[in-house]
């Protein structure tokens, strides 16, 4: 988390939205780190939970998603947004071409951020296919949604 926050601190003219991790013993340490970061960076906000609808609505308006959550692999590609997947928590999972894998160190995260914002990468997002499907409701055999 310290490496991620160090990389994010270098971003200029970027608003940052954090959705907080679980409040278990290890999660509390991360919560405190994010809270301190947000207190020191007026461009950052943290939310305990946005809920599913707000979270998905938020994705529509962001440049990309950064972290190690399965959401970056499963939902974010449907919005034609990039995901920076940090570390190996999601190793072996099916991934769209919009997912940028990086190591959990600030240099690797910074390089991934640079790639995320590059014109070339942004141009590829228009044609991204989500390997988990594109959402929407599934019709039953009778054709009803």
């Amino acid at each position: 988390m310290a490496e991620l926050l160090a990389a994010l601190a270098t971003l200029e003219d970027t608003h940052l939205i954090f959705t907080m991790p679980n409040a278990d013993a290890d999660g509390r340490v991360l919560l405190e780190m994010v809270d301190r970061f947000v207190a020191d960076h007026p461009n950052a906000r943290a939310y305990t939970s946005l809920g599913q609808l707000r979270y998905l609505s938020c994705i529509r308006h962001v440049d990309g998603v950064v972290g190690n959550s399965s959401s970056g692999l499963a939902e974010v590609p449907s919005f034609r947004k990039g995901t920076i997947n940090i570390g190996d928590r999601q190793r072996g999972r099916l991934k769209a071409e919009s997912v940028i894998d990086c190591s959990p160190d600030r240099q690797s995260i910074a390089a991934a951020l640079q790639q995320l914002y590059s014109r070339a990468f942004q141009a590829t997002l228009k044609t991204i296919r989500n390997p988990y499907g594109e959402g929407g409701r599934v019709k039953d055999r009778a054709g009803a949604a």
Side-chain angles (χ1 to χ4, degrees):
M1 181 61 84
E3 295 294 299
L4 169 60
L5 296 175
L8 293 176
T10 67
L11 296 177
E12 297 179 11
D13 299 324
T14 303
H15 295 278
L16 303 169
I17 300 170
F18 291 89
T19 56
M20 300 303 251
N22 293 330
D24 57 19
D26 294 331
R28 277 190 277 258
V29 174
L30 301 178
L31 289 166
E32 291 171 8
M33 293 174 76
V34 171
D35 283 341
R36 283 193 303 272
F37 183 89
V38 169
D40 293 339
H41 295 83
N43 63 324
R45 300 281 183 272
Y47 298 91
T48 302
S49 174
L50 293 173
Q52 184 179 20
L53 182 58
R54 284 190 191 116
Y55 174 72
L56 295 174
S57 296
C58 185
I59 292 172
R60 294 183 64 91
H61 301 285
V62 299
D63 296 328
V65 174
V66 180
N68 65 6
S69 171
S70 60
S71 173
L73 280 59
E75 287 100 13
V76 174
S78 293
F79 291 87
R80 309 293 186 263
K81 305 288 182 171
T83 295
I84 296 175
N85 179 47
I86 302 172
D88 60 3
R89 182 172 180 228
Q90 303 301 329
R91 182 185 307 164
R93 296 211 40 204
L94 195 57
K95 297 176 190 166
E97 292 180 20
S98 58
V99 177
I100 303 166
D101 290 314
C102 71
S103 300
D105 63 81
R106 75 185 73 186
Q107 291 82 14
S108 184
I109 296 167
L113 286 164
Q114 196 168 36
Q115 181 181 348
L116 175 79
Y117 282 112
S118 73
R119 285 185 180 172
F121 183 80
Q122 288 295 311
T124 68
L125 295 176
K126 295 174 185 166
T127 60
I128 289 300
R129 306 257 326 156
N130 188 338
Y132 293 97
E134 294 301 324
R137 295 194 285 177
V138 178
K139 293 183 178 183
D140 66 19
R141 291 180 189 249

